[in-house]
Amino acid sequence: MNLFGYKFMPRFTQIAETANNRLVGFNNVSSYEKYILKPSKQVDKALIIKEWDNILRIVVSLALKQTTQSQVVRKLSSFKTNATLKALIALDQIMMSDYLLDYIDSQEMRSVVQASLCRGESYHQLSGTIAKVSGGKSLRGKNEIELDIAAESIRLIANAVIFYNATLLSYLYQFYLKAEPDKANKISRLSPIAWQHISFIGKYEFYNRRVSINIQEVIDYFMSDSEIDFLAVA
């Protein structure tokens, strides 16, 4: 993931134990005795440099989709000792150590990771709800193409729900920002991934329309009803 420009950011529940078991260093372990956080092993930097060309070949094959991750793992694991596999593991240990140190040092990073996991879980719940509409008969497939279409359709509907909610919340936030800052602060913490107010029962039609829904009219309708409690789900 790192070589493709992404960053794997897991959440750790037992940081001390994870640091003791997963941190690595470039020098001998004994040279880190004076530090609070100590690596458990020395990483083989020379092996990574030696196998770097083979690592790049694997990455290029994955990028061009000439092979899959499972095929690469299966081939590398078919030998009792494989230098390229050991180099990849060592490279992974370096990247994980670098991330783990940042994770321990930054409370902001830990908060971001936790919030992202919560959003991801909420999104999966929303997608699961859409997929189960009408007993799961509306969006399903019998072959790979139909399954892909169903998955993309579910993603489209979920994104439409999130966009709709985010638009309403953004307007409400701006509306209350000057008049009632406390209420605006509470609104800013509401998640746009909510569907209790949306009915998914019906027939889905995906096509271009010249006339789109006037979201401003929807917002004005909500604001005209003084009995609506926008913070009921806070």
Side-chain angles (χ1 to χ4, degrees):
M1 294 182 69
N2 183 279
L3 293 174
F4 279 103
Y6 298 96
K7 192 169 185 179
F8 179 51
M9 300 179 67
R11 180 175 68 93
F12 301 110
T13 56
Q14 298 178 335
I15 300 180
E17 182 179 347
T18 304
N20 290 334
N21 295 329
R22 303 189 67 173
L23 281 178
V24 299
F26 291 107
N27 301 321
N28 191 283
V29 176
S30 60
S31 63
Y32 299 95
E33 287 300 325
K34 64 178 181 179
Y35 297 101
I36 297 176
L37 294 174
K38 306 176 184 63
S40 59
K41 61 179 294 186
Q42 180 180 2
V43 72
D44 193 343
K45 180 181 176 180
L47 179 62
I48 298 175
I49 295 174
K50 179 182 177 181
E51 294 294 324
W52 186 245
D53 186 62
N54 291 331
I55 293 174
L56 291 182
R57 290 176 184 273
I58 293 173
V59 173
V60 171
S61 297
L62 290 171
L64 296 176
K65 297 184 178 180
Q66 295 177 347
T67 187
T68 63
Q69 294 181 47
S70 59
Q71 291 175 334
V72 171
V73 172
R74 185 168 59 253
K75 289 181 179 179
L76 292 177
S77 303
S78 61
F79 302 94
K80 291 184 178 181
T81 56
N82 188 294
T84 304
L85 178 59
K86 290 183 178 180
L88 280 169
I89 293 174
L91 181 62
D92 178 73
Q93 291 172 339
I94 293 173
M95 294 175 179
M96 178 54 68
S97 296
D98 183 59
Y99 168 73
L100 185 55
L101 291 173
D102 287 339
Y103 186 87
I104 295 171
D105 185 62
S106 175
Q107 182 179 355
E108 181 180 359
M109 175 181 284
R110 296 195 295 272
S111 299
V112 168
V113 171
Q114 179 62 47
S116 298
L117 287 174
C118 292
R119 287 196 299 268
E121 179 60 28
S122 297
Y123 182 84
H124 290 315
Q125 291 178 1
L126 171 57
S127 300
T129 300
I130 297 171
K132 294 176 183 177
V133 170
S134 299
K137 297 179 181 179
S138 298
L139 295 170
R140 63 181 183 179
K142 297 180 180 179
N143 52 53
E144 185 175 352
I145 295 177
E146 291 180 353
L147 289 172
D148 286 341
I149 293 174
E152 293 300 326
S153 298
I154 291 172
R155 187 175 294 109
L156 175 61
I157 296 169
N159 288 338
V161 170
I162 295 172
F163 175 78
Y164 173 76
N165 291 335
T167 302
L168 294 180
L169 290 173
S170 295
Y171 180 88
L172 293 173
Y173 174 79
Q174 293 296 331
F175 179 84
Y176 287 111
L177 186 58
K178 294 182 179 180
E180 300 181 53
D182 291 341
K183 184 175 287 189
N185 185 45
K186 292 179 180 179
I187 292 173
S188 68
R189 295 199 294 269
L190 295 179
S191 172
I193 308 177
W195 59 95
Q196 296 89 338
H197 57 302
I198 295 176
S199 174
F200 295 112
I201 304 299
K203 182 179 180 181
Y204 297 118
E205 294 184 2
F206 302 97
Y207 60 92
N208 294 324
R209 298 180 61 181
R210 293 184 178 181
V211 180
S212 60
I213 296 175
N214 190 331
I215 194 67
Q216 187 60 48
E217 290 183 358
V218 177
I219 293 172
D220 293 340
Y221 173 77
F222 283 150
M223 298 303 297
S224 65
D225 191 342
S226 59
E227 296 182 0
I228 296 178
D229 184 3
F230 296 108
L231 303 180
V233 295

